[in-house]
Amino acid sequence: MPRTERPDAPAYLARYLERAGRSVTHEEAADDATPLYLRRFRERRENVDPFESRVPSYDGQQINTTRGWAEVTRTKEIVPERREQAAQVATDVYFVRHGETQGYSSESGLTPLGSWQSHRRGQEIARRVLDGHTVRIACADTNRARQTAEHLRRGLLDGMSLFGREATVGEIVAYREFQNFGVATPEGLRDVTSAFRLYAKELEAFERTSMGERPGWLVEIDRFWKIQNGGGDPITHWLTMPLLHFEPPVSAVRRFWAGLLRIHRETPGNSVVVTTHSGPIRAFATWAMGYDPGEPFNTEFVRVRLIDGGVTALVLYRNRVQEVQVPDLDSLPDWWSGTATGRDVAEEVR
Amino acid sequence: MGILRLGHVDVTVTDLDLATAYYTEVMGLVVVERDADSVYLKCWDETDHHSLRLVYAPRVGFDLMSFKVEREDDLSDLENAVSRYGFPVQRVSKGESVGQGESIRFATPSGHVMELVHDVEKVGGLLPKVNPAPFVTGVPGIAPPRMDHLLVTAEEVGEATTFYTNVLGFRVTEQLLDGNGHQIGTWMERSHSPHDLAVVAGPNGGLHHFAFWLDDWEAVRKAADTLAYNGIQIDVGPTRHGVTRGSTIYFFDPLGTRNEVFTGGYRPDPDFPTITWTEDNIGRAVFYYEGELNDRFMKVHT
């Protein structure tokens, strides 16, 4: 028998016939292996009313417009924790980045998408709230952070009623410790958003009158906003470049710890949602992880859980958990007294 | 302007079920549509209605080749050009052929029916057009992303090539010359690939093979695995062409039409100078590793 003659039907024919034998109706189409685009095409050809066609179950592989975002914001705990384990957690803090904003250079607050994101985030956090808990909400004192907190709080209440959780949700309190990093301007320390107005005004004056050398703070903040305008990432710039007039990242980390420990002292054992800005959040995560884990997306959060009665903490971000020692703020080196200022170095040491 | 790329190849088969089973399960194409006597298939990365039509007929053979043109005006321009060259052109109106609008058809000097079409229904591809993954999963078999080219046979290769180049605007990337300097094979392109259409010496109206594109040599090796596993008769390969520099496998579908999977080659621009091969090097030209042609490759066509 020549090689081209087969005594038996090929296996692929059997597979094909078996598949063809299952007649597919639109009712079953959602479980069919036919790709969605082809199903939709056929339905268009057959004039199937789009309202009649089966809605496909969500598949992250297929509908991946927000896939990257979905992947890094996936629920972190694979194993649900038991109550007795949860009891060991002293305080549980979420540092949530604000939602999509109208702009970073003005106090114009969130876009509609940003408020929707915040609401969704609140609903998601509601799943992690246990009965009898108290959830407190803190925010940085900017419009975008405060609006994020407001929408998140509504989402949290909605979600809790949806999941049937009995917990207390506090009012929104603004904390100075959680504000965005600041810039030292001639008019004092301003957060980077409110410094923008001053910067724009000064720069415009310089350009209009050709006043000569620009002061250092203006040069640095100009670089910062130029990176933003060029589509770059000014936060990376702030994290990695020594800047004489910007609050250093480490100071933001210390502020965050100070706020966190204050909350822990005042109300131990609560969950706290802090809506704030990506710069200090990212600085905090970078400090904890020992490398830069990247800019948080809108409403993405870094979670800090104080355990062992507040001696150590778990820092959770993007599926990574890092155990850290809670720093004793009083015993940390203070770089701003002594020799670090550049003024007090004795003649013979220079 | 002018022809864009190979649109679809229509082949006749004597067993629609067996052919469809092979092209879906082994080749990994998807069935877009069926009608009374034919099945329309496409590859996963193609967005047009189909790139392969299997038509039931009492004998296995070649029905037509269809090329897509860039603009609607190209149809009338090329219709004029072909008519002036002396070949009658038939207009096919919208709705007469499945999945496409108005087209023109004519016979070429090499005895093939050729179709040119602009308006083709868009089905869409397996990958989304927003933030797609760079690969697909779950497609059975070889799963080539698209159809690439076809090779037809003609008694007068030179004459056929003149028509394809002067009238239809194909550009010759490579040619194979016999001892007298006559063309016995030409490779022509419109889509900046080594070839979209090739003509070799043989009977008029024959189809030597049509080819699917694969992304790299690794995919060719996996294709060979799939073919062997499914008991598909391999003709030649995996090997490499001297002409076009591509890596390749030739094999037969269960009804005897030769297929090819092809990858590699170069990206010729319109000013690409033609590469010439001489007949004493024909073995190296076609199969660079083996250096010789086999009989079956020379003689079997549909």
Side-chain angles (χ1 to χ4, degrees):
Chain A
M1 183 179 287
R3 283 193 56 226
T4 47
E5 295 277 312
R6 298 185 58 113
D8 55 335
Y12 59 81
L13 179 61
R15 283 203 303 274
Y16 165 78
L17 291 173
E18 196 242 332
R19 192 185 293 182
R22 298 195 304 260
S23 60
V24 177
T25 64
H26 285 300
E27 284 309 303
E28 299 162 4
D31 312 322
D32 177 25
T34 313
L36 178 67
Y37 78 94
L38 206 55
R39 252 184 281 149
R40 286 284 179 266
F41 169 74
R42 287 180 186 155
E43 286 169 4
R44 282 201 303 275
R45 292 294 293 265
E46 296 163 21
N47 289 324
V48 173
D49 181 358
F51 293 104
E52 295 295 309
S53 72
R54 277 283 295 266
V55 177
S57 53
Y58 172 74
D59 176 1
Q61 298 293 326
Q62 293 291 328
I63 307 169
N64 52 12
T65 46
T66 55
R67 189 165 152 200
W69 184 79
E71 279 184 5
V72 296
T73 56
R74 201 177 281 155
T75 304
K76 305 293 185 287
E77 289 83 0
I78 307 301
V79 182
E81 51 192 353
R82 295 195 300 278
R83 268 164 198 272
E84 60 267 25
Q85 287 174 318
Q88 295 172 2
V89 176
T91 305
D92 192 350
V93 180
Y94 298 87
F95 289 125
V96 182
R97 187 191 170 188
H98 58 79
E100 187 191 64
T101 172
Q102 308 263 14
Y104 294 95
S105 53
S106 64
E107 280 288 13
S108 43
L110 299 183
T111 62
L113 174 65
S115 46
W116 180 82
Q117 289 168 332
S118 312
H119 195 278
R120 286 292 309 266
R121 181 61 65 211
Q123 286 191 340
E124 203 214 342
I125 288 175
R127 286 193 220 174
R128 306 148 185 258
V129 172
L130 297 175
D131 286 350
H133 262 205
T134 305
V135 183
R136 305 184 62 238
I137 301 190
C139 69
D141 205 0
T142 54
N143 282 344
R144 55 186 186 270
R146 184 177 286 278
Q147 287 175 16
T148 302
E150 287 162 1
H151 289 288
L152 191 142
R153 184 171 186 276
R154 273 181 223 126
L156 186 62
L157 292 169
D158 284 0
M160 277 169 27
S161 64
L162 189 70
F163 305 131
R165 299 281 155 82
E166 303 286 340
T168 318
V169 178
E171 291 303 318
I172 298 167
V173 185
Y175 276 75
R176 291 227 15 228
E177 288 97 329
F178 299 129
Q179 70 191 15
N180 206 356
F181 56 87
V183 185
T185 65
E187 301 185 6
L189 189 72
R190 303 284 201 81
D191 95 1
V192 65
T193 298
S194 42
F196 178 83
R197 274 182 82 130
L198 195 63
Y199 145 73
K201 193 177 76 188
E202 286 287 311
L203 194 73
E204 202 262 341
F206 267 90
E207 284 174 351
R208 190 156 33 84
T209 58
S210 314
M211 275 166 32
E213 281 301 301
R214 297 173 190 177
W217 74 274
L218 198 62
V219 172
E220 284 188 356
I221 197 169
D222 184 45
R223 276 185 205 155
F224 182 88
W225 286 109
K226 285 285 194 305
I227 291 170
Q228 167 86 324
N229 290 342
D233 180 7
I235 302 299
T236 304
H237 178 76
W238 171 73
L239 263 182
T240 53
M241 299 296 288
L243 297 164
L244 285 172
H245 299 269
F246 278 61
E247 180 188 11
V250 66
S251 140
V253 176
R254 284 173 71 159
R255 274 198 286 110
F256 266 42
W257 270 117
L260 209 153
L261 291 172
R262 174 147 78 98
I263 285 176
H264 178 56
R265 272 198 313 277
E266 290 170 359
T267 53
N270 286 353
S271 298
V272 187
V273 177
V274 180
T275 58
T276 171
H277 299 268
S278 66
I281 295 177
R282 187 166 157 193
F284 189 93
T286 304
W287 165 81
M289 306 279 175
Y291 62 93
D292 180 3
E295 186 80 350
F297 291 102
N298 289 124
T299 72
E300 196 179 5
F301 55 80
V302 171
R303 190 176 181 186
V304 185
R305 318 180 74 188
L306 291 177
I307 52 177
D308 294 343
V311 179
T312 57
L314 299 177
V315 179
L316 300 89
Y317 183 46
R318 296 199 172 164
N319 293 337
R320 301 179 193 100
V321 185
Q322 179 70 45
E323 189 164 350
V324 297
Q325 289 290 317
V326 174
D328 175 7
L329 294 179
D330 297 333
S331 69
L332 287 180
D334 183 357
W335 301 110
W336 311 114
S337 60
T339 56
T341 56
R343 279 194 296 268
D344 303 329
V345 184
E347 188 87 30
E348 59 274 15
V349 182
R350 286 181 218 162
Chain B
M1 286 295 289
I3 290 173
L4 200 55
R5 60 166 182 264
L6 176 60
H8 56 88
V9 178
D10 298 13
V11 296
T12 58
V13 296
T14 54
D15 183 340
L16 262 183
D17 266 353
L18 181 59
T20 310
Y22 162 83
Y23 281 107
T24 54
E25 296 286 335
V26 180
M27 282 311 303
L29 276 58
V30 291
V31 177
V32 179
E33 200 163 334
R34 297 161 192 267
D35 56 19
D37 64 343
S38 49
V39 177
Y40 300 82
L41 302 115
K42 70 184 266 304
C43 303
W44 61 259
D45 206 22
E46 291 170 333
T47 52
D48 283 352
H49 185 275
H50 61 284
S51 58
L52 177 64
R53 180 187 177 194
L54 305 170
V55 194
Y56 174 78
R59 73 173 285 272
V60 172
F62 182 39
D63 197 19
L64 64 83
M65 52 187 174
S66 172
F67 285 81
K68 189 169 185 179
V69 297
E70 193 167 356
R71 300 174 319 161
E72 198 146 10
D73 299 350
D74 294 332
L75 278 189
S76 47
D77 294 352
L78 290 168
E79 181 180 25
N80 288 337
V82 174
S83 313
R84 279 207 309 276
Y85 199 77
F87 287 88
V89 178
Q90 177 201 356
R91 277 257 171 190
V92 181
S93 48
K94 190 177 171 75
E96 271 188 61
S97 39
V98 173
Q100 57 189 39
E102 196 176 27
S103 59
I104 59 173
R105 280 186 198 177
F106 48 88
T108 65
S110 54
H112 300 93
V113 180
M114 188 165 186
E115 176 187 73
L116 299 179
V117 61
H118 167 69
D119 172 24
V120 178
E121 235 177 301
K122 280 286 181 192
V123 176
L126 192 56
L127 293 176
K129 291 295 172 208
V130 181
N131 305 335
F135 53 84
V136 288
T137 53
V139 185
I142 293 173
R146 58 183 173 82
M147 179 80 85
D148 188 66
H149 65 263
L150 83 168
L151 189 152
V152 297
T153 57
E155 284 159 28
E156 296 291 343
V157 175
E159 211 176 281
T161 305
T162 304
F163 172 80
Y164 290 125
T165 52
N166 292 358
V167 181
L168 299 179
F170 279 91
R171 300 176 285 260
V172 179
T173 53
E174 311 211 11
Q175 58 180 0
L176 176 63
L177 303 185
D178 69 7
N180 301 321
H182 293 300
Q183 288 174 325
I184 52 174
T186 54
W187 287 260
M188 292 167 284
E189 62 93 15
R190 285 288 306 174
S191 69
H192 309 281
S193 63
H195 54 334
D196 297 308
L197 171 67
V199 184
V200 293
N204 269 349
L207 170 70
H208 187 272
H209 68 266
F210 58 86
F212 297 98
W213 176 261
L214 291 179
D215 281 333
D216 50 26
W217 170 246
E218 177 68 8
V220 174
R221 192 175 64 82
K222 277 180 69 180
D225 289 349
T226 306
L227 294 169
Y229 181 80
N230 284 291
I232 304 299
Q233 190 196 356
I234 293 184
D235 185 12
V236 189
T239 181
R240 185 155 191 189
H241 290 306
V243 175
T244 73
R245 306 178 199 159
S247 302
T248 176
I249 312 172
Y250 287 108
F251 47 97
F252 292 101
D253 84 2
L255 300 163
T257 304
R258 187 186 282 99
N259 293 352
E260 182 190 12
V261 288
F262 177 87
T263 186
Y266 42 81
R267 299 284 312 274
D269 281 328
D271 64 350
F272 184 84
T274 301
I275 296 171
T276 300
W277 295 81
T278 53
E279 198 182 5
D280 53 339
N281 276 287
I282 189 168
R284 291 266 173 250
V286 180
F287 298 126
Y288 193 73
Y289 298 156
E290 291 83 351
E292 57 185 21
L293 299 180
N294 70 31
D295 242 16
R296 190 173 47 205
F297 187 82
M298 297 282 279
K299 293 198 176 120
V300 175
H301 60 83
T302 50

